Amino acid sequence: MNRNKEWMAVVRGEAPADLLLTGAKIVNVYTGEILEQSLAVHQGRFAGFGDYEAKDTIHLKGLFLIPGFIDAHVHIESSMAAPSQFVKTVLPRGTTAVVADPHEIANVLGKEGIQYMLDASENQPMDLFFTLPSCVPATHMETAGARLEAEDLEPFLSHPRILALAEMMNFPGVIFGDPGVHAKIKASHGAGKPVDGHAPGLSGKALNAYLSAGIASDHECTTAEEALEKMRGGMHIMVREGTCAQNLYGLLPALNEQTCRRMMWCTDDRHPHDLMQEGHVDDIVRRAIAEGVDPVTAIQMATLNPAEYFGLRDRGAIAPGLQADFLVVRDLDALHIDAVYVKGRLVAEKGQLAADIVLPETHSPPESMRLREDQLDFSIPAEGKRIRVMEVIPGQVVTASLVMDACIRDGLAVADPEQDLVKLAVVERYTGSAGCGMGFVRGLGIRKGALASSVGHDSHNLIVAGDTDDDMRTAAEAVIAMKGGMVVVKEGRVVASLSLSIAGLMSTAAMEDIDAAMADLIREAKALGCTPADPFMTVGFLSLPVIPSLKLTDKGLVDVDRFERVPLFLEEGRE
């Protein structure tokens, strides 16, 4: 019997299915109902509702069946783990598919970075889909590892696991008709794939212009009013609940019976600790239900909505013919996940991968740390008495811009821990020829020592903060020796470190080991006096020149509000 005839014979009930699930309460995300029915699974797909003959039968005794969760927008690199370890962590939590944006590794390695993620995600026990990074580099005021134009991206658009053009952060380029930006949008639309947006606070006629270019979604909304305005213009809203940016509670007032089908959940960036302790998409669904969202609606936003938005017609619900990705759940409020199935196969149970699951081995992409010794000169000749200073705002990625008196010794501007004034350097790591930008930051709290990291959004140059040039150099050299990573230095000695040898962004270690190393790094950073909850996350965003107000790149200080470079020292008589 050929495959089609066999399939139809099973669905008609004339041949046995592979598996029959009985006694279940099935969450139907199409109708909002919870139905007590049996369910047959065959050849990795749902065959049909009702009593079927089957080779194996599982009696669920009143447990719930819900579709597998889909993360609508995530940067796997932010987990600091290789794809296999990311899968090992999120799959037992009920995530059976993600739509990942490899923006971070693409800024480091360009097309090779995208291909690396595609290769590393092959043969995984869950589906890893991708969107194509639209903004590499993010701005012209920093040195990235690559530049990707429309012609560089087009060959990837035919890949079956490339679903869209990723977050279009360059909304001024969209609004003012930049040819390169619009060429990328046109190529994605020509391939029949949507374009994700990234337009925090955009409103009015500027939003009209952005929408008119065919931007279909946004995950940067922080208020219900912003989300509603964008939905009125036809956008889909991805409600983000990550480690740093958490928008669930702010956007809940925009969620109602009319809008819920235009909204979906995403994590964007979640660090190891949150993935290990809080969870992934399951954590967002659970939080939403606790805030009064109907459980079936919350589940629908994690399943059917992202599947339909990205054109994944083979999943997102429990229905005949769809891929049999589903979860066995004890209750819909606490959302205890007993088991996870992908393509009808048990892949995780009781929070652990099934014993027969073999994850692909991790390999490393090309080297990306190319620095010269003379780039690690962190001295700053005093060129005036007043300096521009970045000020950390607790719990935020935005910074304030201050003007302070420089601390000058022997003709050099130096750190002043008594004033919470710490030196900051961003060292270009791709060519070894672009030098480094120097500045000062207030609000880190370092009183004796230094931090260094190769995770510096978005271009991921080497970023170093400290109170002495010697400790800063020791920290930088340690990161270079590891081919990327994070370190804490105290009194000339490395006291904590984490190797991120995969493009300076991800580790080859297990997620548990990454989490433990991050805990050590944060503990030792706080011993230096650091005040932010996660000093490395704070430091990593100090080099992001698309978030106000003052940032530092390898090319120098950037006034983000004016979107231009500015000198460290002010002219006499000027503020």
Side-chain angles (χ1 to χ4, degrees), residues 204-521:
K205 291 179 179 176
L207 177 59
N208 291 341
Y210 192 65
L211 290 170
S212 73
I215 311 297
S217 69
D218 188 270
H219 63 272
E220 290 291 333
C221 294
T222 58
T223 67
E225 292 76 16
E226 180 183 358
L228 285 168
E229 182 182 5
K230 288 175 176 175
M231 280 191 283
R232 290 179 188 124
M235 268 189 165
H236 296 258
I237 299 302
M238 298 176 181
V239 181
R240 172 177 55 190
E241 192 73 3
T243 290
C244 188
Q246 299 176 340
N247 308 125
L248 170 65
Y249 303 113
L251 299 187
L252 280 179
L255 178 61
N256 55 49
E257 289 184 10
Q258 287 71 42
T259 62
C260 66
R261 292 289 276 117
R262 307 288 294 185
M263 302 175 77
M264 62 196 92
W265 310 120
C266 78
T267 61
D268 198 3
D269 299 284
R270 278 208 174 196
H271 277 195
H273 179 78
D274 285 339
L275 290 170
M276 296 285 296
Q277 302 300 321
E278 304 297 332
H280 193 228
V281 180
D282 64 310
D283 177 51
I284 309 177
V285 175
R286 200 176 289 114
R287 289 173 189 242
I289 293 170
E291 290 298 312
V293 177
D294 174 70
V296 177
T297 298
I299 292 166
Q300 184 187 67
M301 292 171 63
T303 57
L304 184 62
N305 292 7
E308 290 186 340
Y309 171 74
F310 284 110
L312 295 171
R313 297 179 179 86
D314 64 343
R315 71 194 68 207
I318 295 175
L322 298 187
Q323 184 166 302
D325 296 353
F326 62 95
L327 317 179
V328 179
V329 178
R330 291 189 200 177
D331 58 273
L332 294 188
D333 291 332
L335 209 67
H336 290 117
I337 299 172
D338 276 13
V340 181
Y341 287 76
V342 173
K343 298 179 183 177
R345 176 191 181 192
L346 178 67
V347 294
E349 194 170 18
K350 306 296 183 185
Q352 301 293 326
L353 285 184
D356 62 339
I357 297 296
V358 178
L359 296 170
E361 292 185 8
T362 295
H363 65 281
S364 294
E367 172 64 47
S368 63
M369 300 291 291
R370 305 181 188 94
L371 294 96
R372 294 196 324 268
E373 195 167 313
D374 61 358
Q375 288 179 277
L376 304 183
D377 178 2
F378 299 130
S379 61
I380 303 177
E383 298 176 1
K385 297 180 179 179
R386 304 277 281 169
I387 54 174
R388 291 180 172 86
V389 176
M390 289 171 280
E391 183 176 36
V392 171
I393 299 175
Q396 301 291 330
V397 295
V398 297
T399 57
S401 179
L402 305 177
V403 174
M404 296 180 63
D405 291 328
C407 180
I408 300 174
R409 295 180 191 148
D410 300 324
L412 299 176
V414 298
D416 185 358
E418 294 303 317
Q419 299 297 318
D420 193 11
L421 195 64
V422 172
K423 190 179 288 188
L424 190 73
V426 177
V427 189
E428 186 270 324
R429 66 150 153 149
Y430 300 109
T431 69
S433 61
C436 73
M438 298 295 306
F440 290 90
V441 59
R442 184 180 184 185
L444 277 182
I446 296 175
R447 301 188 66 83
K448 195 170 185 63
L451 315 178
S453 174
S454 55
V455 179
H457 299 280
D458 271 335
S459 291
H460 300 291
N461 287 301
L462 175 61
I463 187 164
V464 192
D467 71 327
T468 70
D469 293 2
D470 287 344
D471 277 354
M472 289 175 68
R473 185 183 180 94
T474 298
E477 289 174 341
V479 171
I480 295 167
M482 293 189 295
K483 299 182 179 180
M486 300 175 174
V487 301
V488 177
V489 167
K490 182 178 181 180
E491 297 177 348
R493 184 172 64 89
V494 174
V495 293
S497 65
L498 168 62
S499 172
L500 301 174
S501 59
I502 302 176
L505 301 172
M506 295 175 283
S507 172
T508 58
M511 186 76 79
E512 295 87 346
D513 296 334
I514 299 170
D515 185 32
M518 280 302 305
D520 287 343
L521 284 162

Side-chain angles (χ1 to χ4, degrees), residues 138-139 141-142 169 171 198 200 458 543-548 551 558 560 563:
T139 74
M141 290 179 290
E142 57 191 326
M169 294 184 290
F171 59 82
H198 174 116
D458 271 335
S543 60
L544 181 57
V546 295
I547 302 290
K551 295 295 168 71
V558 176
V560 182
F563 211 60

Side-chain angles (χ1 to χ4, degrees), residues 96-133:
T96 57
V98 300
V99 184
D101 173 9
H103 170 84
E104 314 301 345
I105 198 169
N107 267 280
V108 175
L109 295 170
K111 291 187 291 184
E112 283 185 290
I114 299 171
Q115 191 60 55
Y116 172 82
M117 295 302 279
L118 285 169
D119 293 343
S121 59
E122 286 279 3
N123 302 314
Q124 297 285 356
M126 60 177 278
D127 286 317
L128 278 69
F129 298 101
F130 293 91
T131 55
L132 283 179

